[in-house]
Amino acid sequence: MKEQRFVIGDVHGEYEMLEKLLTFWDESQQDLIFIGDLTDRGENSLQVLERVRQLVEEGRALCLRGNHEEMLRHFLQQPEKKAALYMMNGGLKTIESIVGKDLVTVTQAHVMAEAVMTQLPWLAEFIENLPYYIEWQNYVFVHAGVDLTLDDWKMTQPHEFIWIRQPFHEGENRTGKTIVFGHTPTPSLHQDESQFQIWQSDHKIGIDGGAVFGGILHGLVLDKTGIVHHYGVQKDDNGLIQATTYQ
């Protein structure tokens, strides 16, 4: 069992940023965890999906289920009913990256869903197998958060694991765990539109640095004592990727 975890925030199709961040991962010392929301909004969701799936299938990484994975799953199951919500949340970019823009512009939702499943026959099962949370040492890794009003946080409803916001952010953490989460871009947590750094409060660590919104894709290295290293990648004004070691 490795003594460290390297956890990566919401990627949202930013494949080049992900590849740059992975250069900091020491696989010999660190197990890799993705916090969820691999796809949507960014240009290269297909490449991100294929890369993460490969790492997971090789036993080299774990990936949590995010609300965007769940929306994609629902779209594939009920395309005509779920297309509007999924497209409103950036799903069009994912569909385009998988089946091409030409098909998307001239077809109905169910045809797009069928084309996605034909192109990626493994996708639905991959999403279905993604866990809602991972426990390790004194940490809980989860996409959005947990229900802090419950005596046992593990009884959190599936919807809350991937969608919860303010009740978790503002609730008292009595779990005895440090909860590492994504989902809510950190400028909202900091109440500062320019603040893309991680957010820490009450043994909660928010790591969605808004990479797809011009922010930072964060990678934290954790051991049982706390944050060991903190890396980030960000695009400059020319679209070039810059890497930073914060700790």
Side-chain angles (χ1 to χ4, degrees), residues 25 54 81 202 206 231:
W25 173 38
Q54 179 184 27
K81 183 177 180 180
D202 192 23
Y231 306 105

Side-chain angles (χ1 to χ4, degrees), residues 138-139 221-229 247:
N138 58 326
Y139 295 95
V221 177
L222 303 163
D223 68 9
K224 63 183 180 180
T225 67
I227 298 174
V228 179
H229 300 294
Q247 182 175 338

Side-chain angles (χ1 to χ4, degrees), residues 19-58:
E19 285 298 324
K20 185 67 175 181
L21 187 60
L22 285 174
T23 64
F24 294 102
W25 173 38
D26 182 355
E27 188 172 359
S28 68
Q29 302 294 323
Q30 301 154 3
D31 285 327
L32 184 63
I33 297 175
F34 292 89
I35 211 72
D37 280 8
L38 303 176
T39 64
D40 304 340
R41 298 195 175 107
E43 297 291 335
N44 297 304
S45 289
L46 174 59
Q47 290 174 286
V48 173
L49 280 170
E50 291 179 330
R51 180 73 157 113
V52 175
R53 180 213 180 203
Q54 179 184 27
L55 289 168
V56 170
E57 289 206 338
E58 292 173 349

Side-chain angles (χ1 to χ4, degrees), residues 49-162:
L49 280 170
E50 291 179 330
R51 180 73 157 113
V52 175
R53 180 213 180 203
Q54 179 184 27
L55 289 168
V56 170
E57 289 206 338
E58 292 173 349
R60 301 167 64 200
L62 295 171
C63 180
L64 291 162
R65 186 183 311 204
N67 60 305
H68 283 261
E69 282 76 38
E70 190 77 336
M71 284 189 288
L72 174 54
R73 184 174 74 91
H74 288 165
F75 168 73
L76 296 177
Q77 291 175 335
Q78 299 177 290
E80 300 298 342
K81 183 177 180 180
K82 300 296 185 179
L85 176 64
Y86 184 50
M87 299 307 171
M88 182 178 68
N89 283 279
L92 183 63
K93 289 291 187 181
T94 297
I95 305 304
E96 288 178 344
S97 75
I98 296 171
V99 303
K101 292 183 179 181
D102 291 342
L103 178 63
V104 169
T105 59
V106 298
T107 194
Q108 295 177 313
H110 74 276
V111 178
M112 285 191 286
E114 290 169 3
V116 169
M117 290 187 287
T118 298
Q119 185 74 17
L120 301 180
W122 49 265
L123 181 57
E125 183 179 3
F126 173 74
I127 296 174
E128 188 64 39
N129 288 333
L130 298 178
Y132 287 106
Y133 66 85
I134 296 167
E135 262 191 293
W136 174 73
Q137 298 281 4
N138 58 326
Y139 295 95
V140 174
F141 301 97
V142 62
H143 179 65
V146 303
D147 186 343
L148 294 173
T149 68
L150 300 174
D151 291 334
D152 182 356
W153 62 266
K154 293 181 183 179
M155 299 304 293
T156 298
Q157 293 296 309
H159 181 270
E160 299 297 282
F161 280 129
I162 60 176

Side-chain angles (χ1 to χ4, degrees), residues 137-198:
Q137 298 281 4
N138 58 326
Y139 295 95
V140 174
F141 301 97
V142 62
H143 179 65
V146 303
D147 186 343
L148 294 173
T149 68
L150 300 174
D151 291 334
D152 182 356
W153 62 266
K154 293 181 183 179
M155 299 304 293
T156 298
Q157 293 296 309
H159 181 270
E160 299 297 282
F161 280 129
I162 60 176
W163 279 103
I164 197 170
R165 293 191 194 272
Q166 277 75 16
F168 166 67
H169 305 151
E170 299 171 5
E172 181 184 358
N173 183 6
R174 297 178 287 108
T175 65
K177 303 281 189 177
T178 294
I179 304 172
V180 182
F181 67 100
H183 184 53
T184 300
T186 55
S188 296
L189 298 169
H190 289 294
Q191 298 182 341
D192 179 350
E193 292 184 0
S194 66
Q195 182 56 276
F196 288 105
Q197 283 299 330
I198 63 170

